[in-house]
Amino acid sequence: MTTLPPSSEKKLGLVIDLDICVGCHACVVNCKEWNTGGYGAPLGDVDAYGDNPSGAWLNRIHTFEVTPEDAPNGGQAQIVHFPKSCLHCEDAPCVTVCPTGASYKRGEDGIVLVDEKKCIGCGLCAWACPYGAREMDPVENVMKKCTLCVDRIYNDNLPEIDRIPACVRTCPANARHFGDFADPSSNVSKMTAERGGMDLMPEMATRPVNKYLPPRPKTRPASERELAPALAPRTQEGLLGWIDRALEKLG
Amino acid sequence: MHPAVSVIFFTVTSGAGLGLIFCLGLGWPMPASPLAAFLVSLLAGGLTAAGLISSTFHLGHPERAWRALSQWRSSWLSREGVSAILTLTLLGIYALVWMMTGERVAWLGLLISLFAAITVFTTAMIYAQLKTVPDWHSALTPACYLAFALAAGALLAAGLGTATTLIGMPVAILASAALIVAWTAKLLWWNRAGTIGFSHTGSSIGTATGLGGLGAVRLLERPHSGENYLTREMVHKIGRKHAARLRRIALVTGCAVPLALCFLAMATGQPAFLFLLAFASLMAGLFAERWLFFAEARHAVSLYY
């Protein structure tokens, strides 16, 4: 059913900490690996080992440069690595445009999924998404998207520590967190409140569940310090101090 | 946006077919013989159906296209499928009665006109509903689709029909008026598209990344060195290269030539072939216009690339 469910009791999603992400792409690779063997058809590639490889990925990392307004007066530009996957929006426009009912949002936990057996591969959902979260599989010709690793998070066959999305499990810097945004005491809700977690393109009125934590402000020392204080000459004690003083006297 | 040939062919061809169905339903006088009734209905239904069938060619799974009829409550694409099939079914009944009895049932005619218009409207709404593509997200989009369908249908009806005057006016004048209305709407649409940017929502690379508050944001590195589905489908730029030239082609073949042929028809007793020539020229112009409709449109996801 491509009408949206009433607001769900659980709102599962991710917090992505832009202050911490180092842009290693481990989450990208582990996402591809898990989702090639898990839910639905494998994530296809075309010309994977050729000159022009291309394929479906559910998570991609862009890298942006931010130049502050006070850059001419010494303000420092920063590099921000920016992982992007489905935000599991509450008002998901990709769901309501679907003509077949293949694209749906689950009432029980808010996860947005594609029923690949119903998908006709028209691509309209990808057009409706402002974030570029959906990609057509080049081999199966059905729409692929982040499932929030629905086949991990409820999977009793996995050790409990692994019952989180693959991207979160693999992140070596701990920049990704998984939890329930409907619960104000959850880790993700607390982080969002403490760090000013933000929506991407809030003006598109999609009400994303996933939140991004902004990079912490760059700190600068109050006064100018020497670059390498160890290199500055210092009065020495002992033999070296005596040599220093003796040489100075020689002029 | 990537201009898929099957979708361009679909919107132009089925638009013309539905325009003709609209004119037929309103009772545009046609030759009386059952054969003429059959051929005219076949042409109107055939253009519409050819467009619909071609639109399934861009699907990943055309064999599942029937599923698209299920979500008419929420999806414009589904509504389009449903109303197109209803229109064609009603046209079939209308054509059968027309061939068997020689009578064109007025109330059924009004119904097929209504459904033809609804179908064109739903097609346009597939694009106009997308907040992610500001060029399309406007009431001018359905206005253009409806007006172009009417202009194409009117030229075709003028060429096939027997009427020289309708509602007190020569059909050449009526067809010219439809052309002028359609291209006026399109000029307004182009004018809006040229200035809108992402101003309708205020989106920018700053809001897309949420980093705008920290300073000026620019893309340093793409996620990958090659192209992907998103860049091919939505960050498509090649089609814009010849935009100015294609607009001139669209205006000349789609507007100036058909108008000139209509005026020539006025002066020469409205021979049918001039209207058919004008229709062919309009269709050529509309292919260029529809190519640009896709190729020039910018998608919000391009802010990330």
Side-chain angles (χ1 to χ4, degrees):
Chain A
M1 181 54 69
T2 57
T3 44
L4 289 162
S7 196
S8 53
E9 228 170 82
K10 276 207 282 184
K11 285 173 190 163
L12 297 184
L14 303 175
V15 155
I16 294 167
D17 192 339
L18 297 178
D19 197 56
I20 291 180
C21 176
V22 295
C24 72
H25 290 240
C27 56
V28 176
V29 176
N30 201 16
C31 167
K32 179 89 167 176
E33 188 275 334
W34 178 264
N35 286 293
T36 285
Y39 177 96
L43 281 176
D45 289 308
V46 172
D47 197 20
Y49 304 101
D51 290 339
N52 194 18
S54 175
W57 299 73
L58 310 183
N59 180 26
R60 291 181 186 266
I61 298 186
H62 300 237
T63 300
F64 295 98
E65 180 194 59
V66 189
T67 311
E69 267 176 36
D70 64 344
N73 307 318
Q76 289 179 12
Q78 53 185 320
I79 304 298
V80 180
H81 301 292
F82 191 91
K84 189 160 61 60
S85 53
C86 174
L87 307 171
H88 298 280
C89 302
E90 291 197 57
D91 285 331
C94 54
V95 168
T96 48
V97 299
C98 177
T100 68
S103 189
Y104 64 105
K105 184 171 174 70
R106 305 209 315 175
E108 64 267 38
D109 53 17
I111 301 180
V112 177
L113 289 174
V114 175
D115 180 344
E116 294 177 5
K117 289 189 182 65
K118 284 187 187 166
C119 177
I120 57 174
C122 69
L124 189 57
C125 54
W127 286 8
C129 172
Y131 309 108
R134 290 173 168 246
E135 297 192 17
M136 188 83 79
D137 190 285
V139 179
E140 294 293 325
N141 293 323
V142 292
M143 197 53 75
K144 289 298 213 170
K145 69 175 295 301
C146 161
T147 67
L148 215 57
C149 283
V150 71
D151 48 351
R152 284 177 72 101
I153 59 177
Y154 297 115
N155 193 338
D156 293 336
N157 296 320
L158 295 176
E160 203 174 339
I161 195 173
D162 285 331
R163 287 180 215 156
I164 52 174
C167 57
V168 178
R169 183 75 182 93
T170 204
C171 179
N174 226 16
R176 304 178 72 105
H177 306 270
F178 167 70
D180 178 11
F181 285 86
D183 172 8
S185 65
S186 70
N187 60 336
V188 287
S189 296
K190 281 186 196 158
M191 263 184 275
T192 304
E194 278 166 25
R195 297 271 308 279
M198 59 194 181
D199 290 345
L200 304 185
M201 284 196 261
E203 68 278 4
M204 286 284 174
T206 53
R207 299 202 294 144
V209 169
N210 285 13
K211 302 289 181 222
Y212 282 74
L213 305 183
R216 292 186 172 90
K218 287 245 172 186
T219 51
R220 274 195 285 161
S223 60
E224 287 300 315
R225 268 190 307 186
E226 290 177 74
L227 278 175
L231 295 178
R234 267 189 295 178
T235 315
Q236 301 271 358
E237 301 294 317
L239 176 65
L240 283 176
W242 178 79
I243 294 173
D244 182 38
R245 285 191 297 278
L247 286 171
E248 239 162 57
K249 274 178 194 157
L250 282 174
Chain B
M1 305 294 288
H2 171 68
V5 174
S6 61
V7 176
I8 293 169
F9 181 81
F10 152 61
T11 58
V12 173
T13 311
S14 71
L18 290 161
L20 180 57
I21 295 175
F22 182 81
C23 293
L24 285 178
L26 289 184
W28 196 298
M30 288 288 155
S33 72
L35 181 66
F38 174 71
L39 289 177
V40 169
S41 307
L42 185 70
L43 180 68
L47 282 171
T48 310
L52 281 172
I53 290 164
S54 104
S55 75
T56 65
F57 292 162
H58 88 287
L59 299 179
H61 284 276
E63 79 283 3
R64 299 178 189 160
W66 60 273
R67 286 187 182 276
L69 303 176
S70 66
Q71 302 300 313
W72 51 270
R73 275 166 297 187
S74 53
S75 163
W76 282 107
L77 179 49
S78 184
R79 285 170 197 161
E80 181 205 38
V82 171
S83 71
I85 287 172
L86 274 175
T87 310
L88 287 174
T89 310
L90 290 171
L91 174 72
I93 298 169
Y94 181 81
L96 267 180
V97 177
W98 183 9
M99 280 185 292
M100 313 270 260
T101 67
E103 191 200 348
R104 291 165 70 179
V105 186
W107 66 267
L108 191 55
L110 289 178
L111 207 59
I112 61 170
S113 295
L114 178 70
F115 271 103
I118 289 173
T119 307
V120 175
F121 180 73
T122 53
T123 303
M125 283 311 290
I126 294 170
Y127 308 107
Q129 70 177 330
L130 297 173
K131 208 185 263 182
T132 49
V133 186
D135 285 10
W136 297 351
H137 192 56
S138 157
L140 283 169
T141 300
C144 287
Y145 271 76
L146 284 165
F148 279 131
L150 179 63
L155 279 176
L156 203 47
L160 300 171
T162 53
T164 51
T165 57
L166 279 173
I167 53 168
M169 269 186 282
V171 291
I173 296 290
L174 287 174
S176 309
L179 276 169
I180 290 167
V181 168
W183 284 104
T184 306
K186 189 66 206 186
L187 288 174
L188 288 172
W189 191 96
W190 271 337
N191 183 49
R192 176 185 173 278
T195 53
I196 185 86
F198 284 100
S199 61
H200 71 309
T201 56
S203 297
S204 64
I205 189 169
T207 66
T209 57
L211 300 170
L214 298 176
V217 185
R218 79 176 181 99
L219 182 69
L220 191 67
E221 254 187 319
R222 281 184 168 204
H224 40 80
S225 52
E227 295 292 314
N228 65 21
Y229 172 73
L230 300 170
T231 59
R232 280 190 299 267
E233 185 75 8
M234 282 168 273
V235 197
H236 182 90
K237 288 178 183 144
I238 304 156
R240 295 181 201 146
K241 195 174 150 197
H242 300 297
R245 202 168 298 152
L246 278 168
R247 271 193 198 191
R248 281 200 298 276
I249 291 173
L251 279 170
V252 170
T253 59
C255 184
V257 171
L259 271 182
L261 287 167
C262 282
F263 292 139
L264 189 63
M266 268 304 285
T268 55
Q270 306 196 92
F273 80 96
L274 283 181
F275 289 120
L276 295 177
L277 217 54
F279 169 76
S281 184
L282 170 64
M283 291 297 274
L286 285 182
F287 280 113
E289 180 271 333
R290 217 48 59 88
W291 166 276
L292 288 172
F293 178 79
F294 290 97
E296 287 194 293
R298 277 157 213 275
H299 191 284
V301 82
S302 63
L303 296 170
Y304 290 105
Y305 280 89

